[in-house]
Each structure stands twice: as C-alpha cells, then as structure tokens.
Amino acid sequence: MSMLWLGLMAGLTAGSILAWLIGPPIGSSFVIAFGLALGLSMAVTAASHSWIDIDTEVSPASALSGDRRHTILTLLQLGCAVSVFASFISGPVYGVVVGLATGLMWALTSAWGQWLVLIRLWLPLRGRLPWRTFAFLSDARDRGVLRQVGAVYQFRHARLQHYLSGADRA
C-alpha cells in the first residue's frame, strides 16, 4: 500500500473520530476535508522521510541534519492541519496557537528537537557540556578518547565505558 493511501486512510479515520467526539455541529463535509488534509500531510511527511541508518550514515552531523529537515517539514504540516481544524472549531487565533503548540510538542519528540533542547541549551546552560558540542566531540575523537562509527560516537576504551556505565557502583 502506498504512503499516500495509508496517509489518507489515517486522516479520514482521525477526522471521523474527531467528528464523533465533537458531535453534529461539525458535519460530514468537514470530516472529509479535514481527513484529506491531514492524510495528505501525513503521506507527504512519510514519503519525504528517509530513515536514518546509523551504521551507514557518514557522520553524526549529517544524521542530525537529515532529522532536522524531516522534523521541520513535519512540524509545518502537522501544525497547519491542526491549526485549520482548531480554527474551524474556535476561531483563527486559537487555531494558530493550538497548531503551533502541537507542532512544537511533536518536534520535541524527534532526535533533533531533543538535541536542540538538551544538548544545545539545557546542558550548556548548566555547565555540564561545552556550547560547541560538535567541536568538543571532534576534538575528543582526534585525541583518541572517542571513535566514530557511522553516525555514532563511542568511547574507545572498554575500561572507561565500564566505569562511566556505573556497573561498579551498583
């Protein structure tokens, strides 16, 4: 089954569930329109995403860059679909706010969103990680502390891995 049909079926299902939950004021034409919009959005997102294989990816930066592109595309599509639906129910201002909030909450579940919040903001603000994280990791790789295997950094020494895992302290 193609991604387009899968997305359209999922969108129509979601639209039907929402119409059943909210009731008759919505109408069947809205269910079909919302289902098609959401389904098309889901289909485009699924078709545009190429799953990241950490073994064949060239570098952590390129893997993160691919996830960033996919996250932003999905954020825009999901935010627009939810915004249209919420605007229809409660007005345009509410729709935009709900669409943005939904898109941002979804973005935080992606690898890039977590990287942005934790690695680029939270840990450097707390002094737990340098601001220039990729430069730090690259330097650690050049000094032999880390090795790069595809899109992943690993500690080179087994004793260091064992010590940092906390197996002795448990």
Side-chain angles (χ1 to χ4, degrees):
M1 181 180 274
S2 75
M3 287 295 179
L4 178 62
W5 284 110
L6 187 62
L8 290 175
M9 290 299 118
L12 287 173
T13 302
S16 300
I17 290 170
L18 287 172
W20 178 72
L21 290 173
I22 294 173
I26 290 183
S28 61
S29 60
F30 176 75
V31 170
I32 293 171
F34 177 71
L36 290 174
L38 184 63
L40 188 60
S41 172
M42 292 169 64
V44 168
T45 300
S48 69
H49 184 60
S50 58
W51 298 102
I52 297 170
D53 183 11
I54 60 172
D55 295 329
T56 60
E57 194 67 40
V58 177
S59 71
S62 66
L64 203 56
S65 174
D67 191 66
R68 179 182 57 231
R69 281 190 305 273
H70 173 68
T71 299
I72 290 172
L73 178 64
T74 305
L75 181 143
L76 291 172
Q77 292 173 342
L78 179 64
C80 287
V82 170
S83 181
V84 167
F85 176 71
S87 295
F88 184 76
I89 300 297
S90 299
V93 173
Y94 179 75
V96 170
V97 169
V98 169
L100 284 173
T102 303
L104 289 176
M105 284 181 359
W106 183 88
L108 292 178
T109 65
S110 71
W112 176 71
Q114 293 171 9
W115 166 267
L116 189 65
V117 171
L118 293 174
I119 306 299
R120 296 296 295 162
L121 295 173
W122 182 251
L123 292 174
L125 281 172
R126 298 199 33 138
R128 303 277 182 171
L129 198 63
W131 283 100
R132 297 180 57 213
T133 308
F134 274 130
F136 170 73
L137 293 171
S138 178
D139 184 55
R141 185 195 62 221
D142 293 343
R143 293 174 186 259
V145 177
L146 298 176
R147 66 178 171 214
Q148 182 182 333
V149 180
V152 179
Y153 285 110
Q154 299 174 341
F155 284 106
R156 183 174 294 276
H157 305 289
R159 289 169 115 181
L160 183 58
Q161 286 179 354
H162 185 70
Y163 175 75
L164 291 174
S165 70
D168 292 338
R169 292 173 259 167

